[in-house]
């Protein structure tokens, strides 16, 4: 609004982050220089493997577009693939919605030593994803209609891509639940192997 263009956007973002920090500092008042009761080494036991896993997932999510382009596919086809990939990413919101609750519940029951409850909750989480598999089949069958509704008839060539990618999205949901189970059980290194 002040006519600073990109510089104004960057300054606005930094200013908003600073204002957020000031408000949280005012209400939470954590000590900045006091000794920590939580050992940082234990944090890195979890943060290291989980960061590497997140980085791998980020690269994995974009590798297919790079591979398509390197195989000589036209830019238009890569664009249709990307459009189908965006539609197929909708199921990935499901594990994001319940991952925090699942992780905290599993961790609590694991810490209390109630392995039967941990196994039951983990099994139910995996079943919840598998129960959604028919939705993937319906989406694959109706991919032309979904693409036309969501993106318009001009993007109809993206429908065959969506029919395949939707199953990959549900497979990634299973992997996400597996990562939560590994993390809750105290084995974050297994997430890198997965």
């Amino acid at each position: 609004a002040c006519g600073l263009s990109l510089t104004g956007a960057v300054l606005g973002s930094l200013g908003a982050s600073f204002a957020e920090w000031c408000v949280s500092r005012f209400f939470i008042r954590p000590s900045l220089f006091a000794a920590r009761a939580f050992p940082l080494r234990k944090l890195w036991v979890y943060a290291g493997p989980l960061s590497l896993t997140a980085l791998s997932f980020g690269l994995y999510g974009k590798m297919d577009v790079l591979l398509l382009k390197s195989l000589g596919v036209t830019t238009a086809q890569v664009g249709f693939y990307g459009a189908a990939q965006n539609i197929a990413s909708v199921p990935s919101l499901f594990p994001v919605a319940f991952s925090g609750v699942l992780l905290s519940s599993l961790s609590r029951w694991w810490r209390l030593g109630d392995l039967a409850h941990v196994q039951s909750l983990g099994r139910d989480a995996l079943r919840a994803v598998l129960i959604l598999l028919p939705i993937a089949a319906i989406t694959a069958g109706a991919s032309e209609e979904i693409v036309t509704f969501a993106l318009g008839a001009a993007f109809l060539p993206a429908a065959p891509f969506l029919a395949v990618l939707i199953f990959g999205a549900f497979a990634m949901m299973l992997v996400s639940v597996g990562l939560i189970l590994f993390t809750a059980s105290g084995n974050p290194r297994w997430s890198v192997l997965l």
Side-chain angles (χ1 to χ4, degrees):
C2 296
L4 297 176
S5 185
L6 184 59
T7 306
V10 170
L11 290 174
S13 178
L14 291 174
S17 296
F18 180 71
E20 182 180 337
W21 179 79
C22 289
V23 169
S24 63
R25 255 324 266 144
F26 176 76
F27 286 107
I28 297 173
R29 294 190 179 114
S31 60
L32 292 177
F33 302 107
R36 291 163 187 74
F38 186 79
L40 287 178
R41 181 181 177 107
K42 188 174 182 180
L43 174 69
W44 285 111
V45 167
Y46 279 85
L50 294 177
S51 297
L52 186 59
T53 302
L55 180 65
S56 299
F57 271 105
L59 291 174
Y60 179 75
K62 302 300 178 204
M63 191 180 305
D64 49 354
V65 175
L66 294 173
L67 182 63
L68 279 175
K69 194 60 184 159
S70 70
L71 290 173
V73 175
T74 66
T75 303
Q77 289 173 321
V78 172
F80 290 132
Y81 182 86
Q85 197 176 34
N86 285 337
I87 294 173
S89 69
V90 170
S92 67
L93 300 175
F94 179 69
V96 170
F98 77 93
S99 64
V101 174
L102 180 62
L103 180 60
S104 64
S105 298
L106 285 170
S107 298
R108 180 173 48 109
W109 291 112
W110 188 273
R111 190 174 54 251
L112 293 174
D114 191 353
L115 296 181
H117 204 96
V118 169
Q119 290 174 342
S120 173
L121 190 57
R123 218 176 8 256
D124 289 345
L126 290 171
R127 282 185 185 144
V129 175
L130 290 176
I131 287 172
L132 295 173
L133 192 58
I135 294 175
I138 292 169
T139 303
S143 60
E144 291 182 6
E145 291 81 6
I146 291 171
V147 167
T148 303
F149 175 74
L151 303 172
F155 282 88
L156 201 53
F161 294 126
L162 176 61
V164 174
L165 288 173
I166 194 68
F167 289 105
F170 276 86
M172 290 306 290
M173 286 174 53
L174 278 173
V175 170
S176 295
V177 171
L179 293 175
I180 292 168
L181 295 174
F182 289 151
T183 304
S185 67
N187 297 307
R189 289 177 292 174
W190 290 2
S191 66
V192 177
L193 297 175
L194 181 63

